[in-house]
Amino acid sequence: MNLFNSAVVAILPLLPKSFVSLFSGRYIAGETLEDAVKTIIQLNKQNIMATQDLLGENITRKEEATQDKEMWFTILDAIEKNKLDSNISIKLTQLGLKLDKEFCFENVREIVEYADRYKNFVRIDMEDSTCTDDTLDILYRVRRDFTNVGIVIQAYLKRSEQDLKELTSQGINVRICKGIYNEAPEIAFKKPEEIRQNYLRLLMIMFDRKCYVGIATHDRYLIEKAIEAINTNAIPNDRYEFQMLLGVGDEYRTQLVQSGHRLRVYVPFGKDWFPYSLRRMKENPKVAGYVIKNLFKKI
Ligand SMILES: Cc1cc2nc3c(=O)[nH]c(=O)nc-3n(C[C@H](O)[C@H](O)[C@H](O)COP(=O)(O)OP(=O)(O)OC[C@H]3O[C@@H](n4cnc5c(N)ncnc54)[C@H](O)[C@@H]3O)c2cc1C
């Protein structure tokens, strides 16, 4: 682990929340749904689509999951009311996956059904590898009744190619990302170059099988390789979209959109932003490094 990043991770929890918010602010729309709506209106004006993320994962009681499920209904209502070009990205641990899988399945099913009424789409984010099998299982079960739901595949996991083959055989919409959790070398590629090459292998499977793909990355090499593959294979622009996190990859945004590529920005919001940010940084100290470097850039 890079020494600078580990030092940042160690210090962050000791800093006042208001101080941390100074530099994590650009990655989070705010604490309220109104904040998220305002951010998305601005993105939509620039021809950029959004996907909303309601912060908070570590729930310990079913009541919390039920509250979050109801909040998702409110979010879907707000997307409709404000005519936002936005879908939603949900995390299953926030909906009770680690408490009771059946309860979680019912929650997901209700959210997907609610979104379906608005013809909206639900992306199921992928969490750490202890969740992969259950997340895929819930997706396949919900897909028996609804098609407006897709998933995420992580290029660092060795199992992903096999998982993707199954997903594409059912025509499922998949976001491909590198993966953000710290996984063991037995199950995950650890070298950046191996992860990149697996990412491209997975992307080509999506293109070859004509499945809609979310290309989620800020890695210039991957973006350029993806554009090369799109041009070489004449992939129509209604079969893929680029995806980036709020506050990251701004240097690519205009160029991608002006070149006719679809782009979606992941917009996290919620009052749980502080523990969420700290957890993300502990899981991947590289992120902490980016954040603190951004602070210095601002100054
Ligand atoms: C839309 C979207 C959804 C995602 N969903 C999931 C998910 O469901 N499950 C999951 O495990 N992971 C998810 N991720 C995270 C992903 O797995 C990676 O950890 C993250 O995108 C960084 O990988 P990268 O491809 O950008 O490449 P990297 O090599 O990590 O980054 C490339 C460059 O981008 C910049 N950068 C990248 N991340 C940040 C950051 N956080 N802050 C500042 N600069 C940054 C840096 O300049 C870096 O050099 C998602 C990412 C995106 C964009």
Side-chain angles (χ1 to χ4, degrees):
M1 190 192 293
N2 174 315
L3 268 179
F4 173 72
N5 291 343
S6 0
V8 172
V9 166
I11 290 165
L12 275 170
L14 309 173
L15 299 175
K17 198 172 162 182
S18 56
F19 181 72
V20 176
S21 76
L22 273 180
F23 51 94
S24 65
R26 64 175 289 186
Y27 304 99
I28 290 151
E31 295 205 354
T32 66
L33 177 56
E34 288 69 34
D35 294 328
V37 168
K38 276 188 208 149
T39 302
I40 294 170
I41 289 173
Q42 289 312 315
L43 290 167
N44 286 173
K45 277 187 189 158
Q46 302 163 57
N47 275 333
I48 297 172
M49 307 174 288
T51 186
Q52 287 192 67
D53 168 40
L54 173 62
L55 294 173
E57 292 148 77
N58 264 358
I59 61 148
T60 50
R61 292 176 299 115
K62 285 187 174 179
E63 294 74 34
E64 293 172 272
T66 305
Q67 252 176 31
D68 279 345
K69 176 189 71 183
E70 280 158 10
M71 185 61 191
W72 278 119
F73 297 159
T74 309
I75 292 168
L76 286 161
D77 291 339
I79 292 174
E80 185 68 13
K81 183 172 154 239
N82 294 284
K83 300 193 181 6
L84 302 179
D85 191 345
S86 176
N87 58 35
I88 62 173
S89 289
I90 63 173
K91 286 192 175 57
L92 297 197
T93 55
Q94 198 180 352
L95 294 163
L97 185 67
K98 296 284 187 188
L99 300 179
D100 176 346
K101 187 175 161 189
E102 279 315 296
F103 166 73
C104 177
F105 164 71
E106 283 305 331
N107 287 336
V108 177
R109 199 185 181 289
E110 281 182 49
I111 293 170
V112 173
E113 185 177 21
Y114 202 92
D116 189 52
R117 285 187 223 149
Y118 288 134
K119 304 213 177 325
N120 207 329
F121 178 81
V122 179
R123 171 83 55 198
I124 302 179
D125 281 350
M126 190 56 86
E127 299 174 74
D128 69 70
S129 59
T130 64
C131 302
T132 313
D133 282 327
D134 287 339
T135 304
L136 285 165
D137 185 48
I138 289 180
L139 168 83
Y140 289 129
R141 288 173 64 198
V142 176
R143 285 269 314 183
R144 286 180 202 150
D145 296 320
F146 300 98
T147 54
N148 62 320
V149 55
I151 198 155
V152 179
I153 283 292
Q154 297 153 323
Y156 64 16
L157 285 190
K158 293 179 182 169
R159 60 177 286 171
S160 286
E161 186 169 344
Q162 208 44 49
D163 288 333
L164 197 66
K165 285 184 173 154
E166 180 55 36
L167 289 161
T168 50
S169 74
Q170 300 192 30
I172 295 176
N173 177 325
V174 177
R175 170 198 297 153
I176 304 177
C177 66
K178 286 187 181 173
I180 198 143
Y181 303 89
N182 278 332
E183 300 291 358
E186 291 73 31
I187 59 163
F189 299 112
K190 296 306 250 185
K191 294 189 186 133
E193 206 41 48
E194 279 181 332
I195 300 171
R196 271 184 172 168
Q197 292 317 315
N198 200 39
Y199 192 111
L200 292 174
R201 224 176 353 258
L202 299 175
L203 184 60
M204 289 317 295
I205 294 175
M206 292 301 287
F207 285 157
D208 288 346
R209 299 191 172 196
K210 300 187 171 31
C211 291
Y212 193 92
V213 58
I215 309 167
T217 183
H218 322 91
D219 182 339
R220 179 181 291 277
Y221 172 84
L222 287 181
I223 295 171
E224 284 172 1
K225 285 285 173 193
I227 293 175
E228 205 177 291
I230 288 162
N231 292 337
T232 311
N233 299 288
I235 309 288
N237 73 350
D238 59 356
R239 202 131 27 83
Y240 67 90
E241 64 190 42
F242 285 92
Q243 297 185 351
M244 296 189 182
L245 302 174
L246 186 67
V248 188
D250 297 2
E251 64 274 28
Y252 308 113
R253 277 192 195 175
T254 320
Q255 205 186 337
L256 282 172
V257 173
Q258 281 179 356
S259 309
H261 302 290
R262 287 149 62 84
L263 173 64
R264 187 179 302 278
V265 166
Y266 189 95
V267 178
F269 82 95
K271 52 184 174 2
D272 283 342
W273 67 268
F274 187 64
Y276 170 87
S277 306
L278 293 183
R279 214 165 32 246
R280 281 286 88 78
M281 289 172 203
K282 278 183 194 153
E283 274 157 0
N284 188 351
K286 227 169 105 186
V287 172
Y290 297 144
V291 169
I292 205 91
K293 278 175 193 150
N294 276 316
L295 171 69
F296 290 119
K297 261 199 255 163
K298 265 194 232 168
I299 290 169

